[in-house]
Amino acid sequence: MLTRRLPATVEPYRLAANHERLEGVVDLEKLARLQEEIGAQRGQVEVMLQFDIDAQRRHLIDGELRADLSMPCRRCLQPMPVAVSSQFRLAIVSDDARAADVPSDYEPVLVDNEQLNLLGAIEDELILSLPQVVYHDEADCAVSREQLSSGDASVDTQARPDNPFDVLKSLKGKL
Ligand SMILES: [Zn+2]
């Protein structure tokens, strides 16, 4: 288990030149934007980062993260545990012109004054890896199927037609 806390900023060019690997955790309570999205969080996100330079002298980061989050159930709005993990690839760029050069499977990340805002980059990845909607299992949900079908539920599922999974899930919840 990882216990070392990652620094808020790092020097990515130096780390890439040394092909360094960073592993550690970030306290979720430090990630304000994440908590705006899904509510207060406890615990940590585990992060592994491999820094490298490729044959074209591009500075790259291959990353992986894992976290146990709490997200509101779309049906009853009570928090429920959600395990999130993702792999991501970042390319360090110092200006927008360089951003056009990054490999297609890498996401450009702007670095200011040779300092990478590591916490910000991890928070971005974590937010991108969130599932769109989550639901309790029916037995665990505060809003029962009967309440939903009789229309008593104060919280209705808000099916968004732009996401077919939302529609499917809301239909499933009403059957
Ligand atoms: Zn629920």
PDB file of all heavy atoms in Angstrom, residues 20 42 56 120 147-148 159 173:
ATOM      1  N   GLU A  20      12.346   8.970 -14.087  1.00  0.00           N
ATOM      2  CA  GLU A  20      11.946   8.642 -12.721  1.00  0.00           C
ATOM      3  C   GLU A  20      10.514   8.151 -12.624  1.00  0.00           C
ATOM      4  O   GLU A  20       9.664   8.475 -13.467  1.00  0.00           O
ATOM      5  CB  GLU A  20      12.132   9.872 -11.823  1.00  0.00           C
ATOM      6  CG  GLU A  20      13.593  10.041 -11.448  1.00  0.00           C
ATOM      7  CD  GLU A  20      13.791  10.927 -10.238  1.00  0.00           C
ATOM      8  OE1 GLU A  20      13.110  10.699  -9.224  1.00  0.00           O
ATOM      9  OE2 GLU A  20      14.630  11.839 -10.324  1.00  0.00           O
ATOM     10  N   ARG A  42     -13.487  11.565   1.665  1.00  0.00           N
ATOM     11  CA  ARG A  42     -12.423  11.208   2.595  1.00  0.00           C
ATOM     12  C   ARG A  42     -11.530  10.177   1.925  1.00  0.00           C
ATOM     13  O   ARG A  42     -11.927   9.565   0.947  1.00  0.00           O
ATOM     14  CB  ARG A  42     -13.012  10.644   3.891  1.00  0.00           C
ATOM     15  CG  ARG A  42     -13.387  11.757   4.865  1.00  0.00           C
ATOM     16  CD  ARG A  42     -13.840  11.172   6.164  1.00  0.00           C
ATOM     17  NE  ARG A  42     -15.091  10.428   5.966  1.00  0.00           N
ATOM     18  CZ  ARG A  42     -15.789   9.890   6.950  1.00  0.00           C
ATOM     19  NH1 ARG A  42     -15.365   9.982   8.187  1.00  0.00           N
ATOM     20  NH2 ARG A  42     -16.905   9.241   6.699  1.00  0.00           N
ATOM     21  N   GLN A  56      11.853  11.334 -29.952  1.00  0.00           N
ATOM     22  CA  GLN A  56      11.721  12.693 -30.493  1.00  0.00           C
ATOM     23  C   GLN A  56      11.968  13.762 -29.421  1.00  0.00           C
ATOM     24  O   GLN A  56      11.580  14.920 -29.602  1.00  0.00           O
ATOM     25  CB  GLN A  56      10.324  12.890 -31.088  1.00  0.00           C
ATOM     26  CG  GLN A  56      10.128  12.261 -32.458  1.00  0.00           C
ATOM     27  CD  GLN A  56       9.863  10.757 -32.360  1.00  0.00           C
ATOM     28  OE1 GLN A  56       9.033  10.316 -31.563  1.00  0.00           O
ATOM     29  NE2 GLN A  56      10.574   9.967 -33.139  1.00  0.00           N
ATOM     30  N   GLY A 120      -3.183  19.443  -9.586  1.00  0.00           N
ATOM     31  CA  GLY A 120      -4.194  19.845 -10.558  1.00  0.00           C
ATOM     32  C   GLY A 120      -4.352  18.812 -11.660  1.00  0.00           C
ATOM     33  O   GLY A 120      -5.463  18.485 -12.074  1.00  0.00           O
ATOM     34  N   GLN A 147     -42.070   3.312  -4.926  1.00  0.00           N
ATOM     35  CA  GLN A 147     -42.212   4.767  -4.846  1.00  0.00           C
ATOM     36  C   GLN A 147     -42.034   5.403  -6.214  1.00  0.00           C
ATOM     37  O   GLN A 147     -42.755   6.314  -6.586  1.00  0.00           O
ATOM     38  CB  GLN A 147     -41.159   5.343  -3.885  1.00  0.00           C
ATOM     39  CG  GLN A 147     -41.501   5.157  -2.429  1.00  0.00           C
ATOM     40  CD  GLN A 147     -40.345   5.608  -1.555  1.00  0.00           C
ATOM     41  OE1 GLN A 147     -39.224   5.123  -1.715  1.00  0.00           O
ATOM     42  NE2 GLN A 147     -40.603   6.523  -0.662  1.00  0.00           N
ATOM     43  N   LEU A 148     -41.040   4.887  -6.945  1.00  0.00           N
ATOM     44  CA  LEU A 148     -40.785   5.456  -8.264  1.00  0.00           C
ATOM     45  C   LEU A 148     -41.966   5.236  -9.203  1.00  0.00           C
ATOM     46  O   LEU A 148     -42.419   6.153  -9.872  1.00  0.00           O
ATOM     47  CB  LEU A 148     -39.530   4.824  -8.886  1.00  0.00           C
ATOM     48  CG  LEU A 148     -38.187   5.416  -8.514  1.00  0.00           C
ATOM     49  CD1 LEU A 148     -37.095   4.678  -9.246  1.00  0.00           C
ATOM     50  CD2 LEU A 148     -38.125   6.899  -8.841  1.00  0.00           C
ATOM     51  N   ALA A 159     -33.577  11.487 -16.841  1.00  0.00           N
ATOM     52  CA  ALA A 159     -32.992  10.866 -18.030  1.00  0.00           C
ATOM     53  C   ALA A 159     -32.595  11.949 -19.016  1.00  0.00           C
ATOM     54  O   ALA A 159     -33.377  12.844 -19.317  1.00  0.00           O
ATOM     55  CB  ALA A 159     -33.998   9.931 -18.664  1.00  0.00           C
ATOM     56  N   GLY A 173     -34.973   1.400 -13.791  1.00  0.00           N
ATOM     57  CA  GLY A 173     -35.420   1.742 -12.447  1.00  0.00           C
ATOM     58  C   GLY A 173     -36.924   1.849 -12.330  1.00  0.00           C
ATOM     59  O   GLY A 173     -37.466   1.791 -11.233  1.00  0.00           O
TER      60      GLY A 173
END
